Amino acid sequence: MIRKAVIADAKSIHKLLIGYAKDGQMLPRSLQEIYENIRDFYVFEEQGQVLGTVCLNICWEDLAEVRSLAVADNQIGRGIGRQLVEACLAEARQFGLRRVFALTYKQDFFARLGFHEIEKSQLPHKIWSDCLKCAKFPDCDEIAVCIDL
């Protein structure tokens, strides 16, 4: 079941994200950052366990980012990631946003959801503030993808 995250989910979200950060697939997020942004997160819960998470970060009046998408290793392939991203897109539409982007190593996954590759230079400079924390900056190898709503 997909639902908005609550405070009690923060540690489970953090645990999921740490695994992906250790593998270099996303930037790490501290537990404090998760608590501060808990209202932006969705979780996929089954039998009381958080098996996946995603965050919709609104960047500007017409733009949001799908970030911190993580699914438990033993749950990959069940469509959890797709459902999480679709929840973000539905919320973006409710807010009247026109575009949603992601920075990813999983371009094919996002392409199946209707995202297309764009040049990172098309994104506002404000989004790069998190990139300054990355060991790969400024030689980012993530792919920028975007969907028009």
Side-chain angles (χ1 to χ4, degrees):
M1 162 181 90
I2 302 285
R3 62 171 173 76
K4 288 295 276 185
V6 296
I7 292 293
D9 297 321
K11 290 180 182 175
S12 296
I13 291 169
H14 187 244
K15 183 178 177 184
L16 280 171
L17 298 182
I18 283 174
Y20 280 79
K22 283 182 182 174
D23 289 345
Q25 295 182 51
M26 70 174 59
L27 286 175
R29 294 192 76 169
S30 70
L31 187 55
Q32 178 184 347
E33 286 177 284
I34 293 166
Y35 280 124
E36 289 173 354
N37 297 286
I38 197 75
R39 287 173 275 188
D40 296 337
F41 279 90
Y42 284 91
V43 295
F44 180 95
E45 180 188 38
E46 194 171 80
Q47 297 178 358
Q49 279 195 305
V50 173
L51 302 176
T53 190
V54 71
C55 178
L56 180 69
N57 183 50
I58 297 174
C59 303
W60 200 244
E61 67 179 321
D62 66 342
L63 182 68
E65 178 184 10
V66 169
R67 58 194 306 186
S68 300
L69 175 61
V71 175
D73 287 339
N74 63 348
Q75 301 297 315
I76 293 172
R78 291 186 50 206
I80 294 171
R82 177 186 50 77
Q83 291 177 59
L84 287 164
V85 172
E86 287 173 348
C88 287
L89 296 177
E91 184 177 33
R93 286 182 187 97
Q94 288 176 342
F95 277 106
L97 297 167
R98 293 194 311 254
R99 295 183 306 149
V100 176
F101 75 94
L103 297 171
T104 184
Y105 294 109
K106 310 273 187 191
Q107 179 184 7
D108 291 343
F109 167 81
F110 282 96
R112 288 191 299 272
L113 292 168
F115 286 74
H116 59 277
E117 185 175 348
I118 60 169
E119 287 295 321
K120 291 181 206 136
S121 61
Q122 294 179 18
L123 299 171
H125 291 292
K126 182 179 187 266
I127 69 119
W128 300 112
S129 61
D130 285 337
C131 298
L132 297 174
K133 302 174 198 170
C134 181
K136 297 178 183 181
F137 183 79
D139 300 316
C140 178
D141 57 350
E142 286 186 304
I143 297 165
V145 295
C146 186
I147 188 169
D148 297 314
L149 301 178

